[in-house]
């Protein structure tokens, strides 16, 4: 079992830990041989392939030049994945209209991205053991560029969806790879700032993604989005080839449990497919309940298999670790943080689809205006991510998360009341700004805190688990809330009539109910933070100092009030 429930603060020894046979960190004082580069291009290639140790990466409280450039490339490519995921939100109404499909079907363009990323994330532990950083990143960029090209030239919706599928496969492992790299380089008391800085860069993607996507859709059509992604993907591939260094070693004998991968695809994919069919068929129809039943069975089988494989691996009966080490949920802090992050993704992912529908279909604004309305909120989230990371290191997770969830509740409730035919469009932008300020103070800080609650040797497994749960929550959240919105819209329209004006009013009715549910989820997040985000170790620098003092004075008394964050 990863950790006992009564010991949420991990014991950090001075010895190097390993995660599934792979070095997690190396002591700063460890002596490493000097890197000697051979002359010529071949020597440059060999130098890039040589893994950077921790002392090669972080010295005297700062990143080295080569590590900074490599992390910058990893951050850029991860940014590209986030950018791609949200860039279509403003173009979705146009795509739905052009292909003559329903909103529930169209939202698969965003949901499948999150679902595939959720499936890819558990493979990160295997991929980072079996392949080098350069091999993973270069292959990812090739697949991403091919997917963007396919979507750009797609003559039908199924081929467009295939292109999105390849884009998701290409970028699905990048965020956990970046996250693991940051945690392996930076010491505990610097991770909040590091993750906050990286998170701020990631949050710029939703700031400019919908806006640029809206501009491209209005001026050059939605296909221009994928044309630009094809060009950017090719440029990122070249940049990674010439700049990116490897981090960590590889194990040529590493294996992956691909049967578990298949179970996760069948489980979560079946559940989502059944949900999306409810709009067109009654619940008693086999096309609805059969996929949902198969999906639920697949999820249960998947979880039981992970528990069994983890137990066998820890007892030494197997040399192959589980695809996901779900035993990390035994840690209270990690469990609480992952639940909060999952609720955030569940609620937020649907609004990236619902808000453009309200702005364009109900209020008659263009895709460009739709993106501009969402721009201030995304910028606010980027700033809040950075400030939240610094605040986490200084004050701990509890006050930062309390402030974030409070803003999220206020912003979501206010937006619910602002969804009407007469409200000024800037009021929606203000509410979204407050909401995303809150998300910025919740998502990255609570993720960093939850991973800090784990022992170093479990951080890789914890990163895979928390990213998988978040992506799956986001993938399920969008179709569920959009289905609720569509169902209530149809019901309202059957009551008030089917005129053009009544259709708009019915849409607003459905959107307000979806936002009401989102408000309830935000309140639940606030309650979870109040009840669950507490304890001695909240990932702050002050907590690290207290541990150091107690290590020197093991029988010393620590004020109980000081132990609270």
């Amino acid at each position: 079992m990863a950790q006992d429930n009564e010991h949420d603060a991990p014991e950090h020894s001075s010895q190097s830990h390993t995660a599934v046979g792979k070095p997690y960190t190396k002591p700063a004082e460890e002596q490493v041989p000097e890197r000697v580069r051979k002359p010529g291009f071949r020597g440059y290639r060999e130098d890039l392939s040589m893994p950077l140790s921790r002392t090669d990466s972080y010295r005297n409280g700062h990143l080295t030049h080569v590590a900074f450039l490599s992390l910058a490339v990893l951050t850029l490519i991860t940014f590209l994945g986030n950018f791609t995921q949200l860039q279509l939100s403003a173009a979705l109404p146009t795509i739905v209209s052009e292909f003559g499909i329903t909103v529930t079907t169209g939202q698969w363009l965003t949901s499948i991205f999150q679902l595939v990323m959720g499936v890819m994330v558990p493979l990160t532990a295997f991929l980072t053991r079996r392949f080098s950083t350069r091999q993973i990143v270069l292959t990812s960029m090739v697949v991403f560029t091919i997917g963007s090209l396919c979507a750009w030239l797609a003559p039908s919706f199924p081929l467009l969806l295939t292109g999105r599928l390849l884009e998701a496969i290409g970028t699905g492992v990048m965020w956990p790879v970046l996250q693991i790299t940051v945690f392996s380089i930076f010491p505990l008391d610097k991770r909040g700032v590091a993750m906050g800085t990286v998170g701020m860069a990631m949050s710029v993607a939703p700031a400019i993604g919908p806006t640029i996507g809206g501009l491209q859709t209005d001026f050059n059509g939605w296909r221009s989005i994928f044309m630009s992604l094809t060009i950017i993907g090719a440029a990122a591939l070249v940049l990674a080839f010439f700049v990116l260094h490897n981090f960590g070693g590889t194990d040529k004998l590493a294996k992956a449990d691909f049967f578990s991968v298949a179970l996760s695809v069948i489980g979560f994919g079946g559940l989502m497919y059944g949900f999306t069919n409810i709009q067109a068929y009654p619940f008693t129809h086999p096309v609805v309940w059969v996929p949902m039943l198969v999906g639920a069975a697949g999820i249960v089988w998947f979880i039981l298999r992970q528990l069994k494989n983890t137990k066998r691996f820890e007892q030494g009966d197997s040399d192959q670790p589980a695809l996901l080490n779900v035993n990390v949920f035994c840690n209270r802090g990690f469990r609480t943080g992952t639940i909060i992050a999952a609720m955030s993704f569940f609620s937020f992912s649907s609004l990236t689809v619902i808000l453009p529908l309200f702005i364009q279909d109900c209020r008659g604004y263009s895709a460009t205006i739709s993106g501009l309305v969402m721009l201030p909120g995304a910028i606010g989230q980027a700033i809040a991510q950075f400030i939240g990371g610094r605040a986490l290191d200084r004050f701990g997770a509890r006050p930062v998360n309390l402030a974030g969830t409070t803003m999220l509740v206020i912003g979501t409730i206010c937006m619910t009341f602002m969804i009407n035919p007469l409200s000024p469009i800037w009021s929606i932008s203000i509410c979204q700004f407050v909401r995303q300020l809150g998300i910025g103070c919740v998502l990255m800080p609570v993720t960093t805190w939850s991973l800090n609650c784990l022992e170093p040797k479990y951080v890789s497994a914890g990163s895979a688990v928390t990213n998988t749960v978040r992506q799956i929550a986001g993938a399920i959240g969008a179709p569920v809330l959009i289905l609720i919105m569509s169902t209530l819209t149809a019901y309202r329209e059957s009551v008030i009539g089917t005129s053009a004006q009544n259709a708009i009013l019915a849409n607003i009715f459905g959107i307000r109910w979806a936002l009401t549910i989102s408000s309830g989820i935000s309140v639940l997040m606030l309650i979870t933070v109040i009840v669950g985000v507490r304890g001695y170790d909240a990932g702050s620098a002050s907590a690290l100092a207290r541990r150091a003092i107690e290590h020197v004075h093991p029988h010393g008394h620590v004020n109980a009030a000081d132990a609270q964050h």
Side-chain angles (χ1 to χ4, degrees), residues 187-327:
L188 180 67
D189 61 327
K190 299 296 182 183
R191 290 177 190 167
V193 173
M195 290 298 291
T197 304
V198 170
M200 184 176 69
M202 295 303 99
S203 296
V204 173
I208 64 177
T211 304
I212 293 178
L215 285 168
Q216 289 179 293
T217 301
D218 284 340
F219 287 98
N220 298 304
W222 61 266
R223 292 183 187 274
S224 62
I225 294 175
F226 294 103
M227 179 189 71
S228 62
L229 290 176
T230 302
I231 297 172
I232 295 172
L237 176 62
V238 173
L239 183 64
F241 182 83
F242 286 104
V243 175
L244 181 65
H245 281 74
N246 282 326
F247 291 90
T250 59
D251 178 8
K252 300 298 183 183
L253 300 179
K255 299 178 182 178
D257 183 7
F258 288 104
F259 183 71
S260 290
V261 175
L263 285 177
S264 65
V265 172
I266 293 172
F268 295 110
L271 207 59
M272 285 182 60
Y273 182 69
F275 269 121
T276 55
N277 285 334
I278 291 178
Q279 186 179 7
Y281 302 92
F283 187 79
T284 54
H285 198 286
V287 78
V288 175
W289 65 264
V290 170
M292 293 179 69
L293 182 63
V294 171
I299 292 172
V300 172
W301 192 353
F302 174 81
I303 294 174
L304 293 176
R305 183 175 176 84
Q306 304 319 300
L307 290 171
K308 178 183 177 182
N309 288 350
T310 299
K311 183 178 180 180
R312 293 184 62 212
F313 178 72
E314 293 183 345
Q315 291 178 345
D317 297 332
S318 172
D319 59 352
Q320 179 177 324
L323 185 66
L324 282 180
N325 184 355
V326 294
N327 281 344

Side-chain angles (χ1 to χ4, degrees), residues 9 21 33 36 69 98 106 133 258 391:
V36 180
L69 289 178
E98 179 172 326
T133 308
F258 288 104

Side-chain angles (χ1 to χ4, degrees), residues 69-274:
L69 289 178
S70 295
L71 277 179
V73 171
L74 286 176
T75 303
L76 173 65
I77 294 175
T78 307
F79 164 87
L80 181 60
N82 281 18
F83 179 83
T84 306
Q85 182 175 343
L86 295 171
Q87 194 179 14
L88 273 188
S89 60
L92 189 59
T94 303
I95 295 174
V96 167
S97 175
E98 179 172 326
F99 286 107
I101 56 179
T102 65
V103 174
T104 308
T105 301
Q107 62 81 33
W108 271 93
L109 290 173
T110 56
S111 294
I112 199 172
F113 207 98
Q114 291 179 304
L115 178 62
V116 172
M117 289 182 73
V119 172
M120 289 296 295
V121 165
L123 285 172
T124 304
F126 159 71
L127 293 174
T128 53
R129 291 197 313 275
R130 178 62 180 82
F131 302 103
S132 69
T133 308
R134 285 177 56 83
Q135 288 174 328
I136 294 172
V137 173
L138 294 177
T139 303
S140 296
M141 281 297 94
V142 169
V143 174
F144 173 86
T145 304
I146 293 174
S148 299
L149 181 64
C150 178
W152 173 20
L153 304 176
S156 62
F157 182 76
L159 285 178
L160 173 60
L161 196 61
T162 301
R164 288 290 284 177
L165 177 71
L166 292 175
E167 284 183 336
I169 292 174
T171 59
V173 299
M174 290 312 305
W175 171 241
V177 167
L178 174 61
Q179 197 173 46
I180 292 171
T181 302
V182 168
F183 269 71
S184 67
I185 291 176
F186 288 91
L188 180 67
D189 61 327
K190 299 296 182 183
R191 290 177 190 167
V193 173
M195 290 298 291
T197 304
V198 170
M200 184 176 69
M202 295 303 99
S203 296
V204 173
I208 64 177
T211 304
I212 293 178
L215 285 168
Q216 289 179 293
T217 301
D218 284 340
F219 287 98
N220 298 304
W222 61 266
R223 292 183 187 274
S224 62
I225 294 175
F226 294 103
M227 179 189 71
S228 62
L229 290 176
T230 302
I231 297 172
I232 295 172
L237 176 62
V238 173
L239 183 64
F241 182 83
F242 286 104
V243 175
L244 181 65
H245 281 74
N246 282 326
F247 291 90
T250 59
D251 178 8
K252 300 298 183 183
L253 300 179
K255 299 178 182 178
D257 183 7
F258 288 104
F259 183 71
S260 290
V261 175
L263 285 177
S264 65
V265 172
I266 293 172
F268 295 110
L271 207 59
M272 285 182 60
Y273 182 69

Side-chain angles (χ1 to χ4, degrees), residues 407-419:
M407 286 189 287
L408 184 59
V409 169
I410 293 172
T412 309
I413 292 176
C414 289
M415 182 181 287
T416 302
F417 289 102
M418 291 297 176
I419 297 293

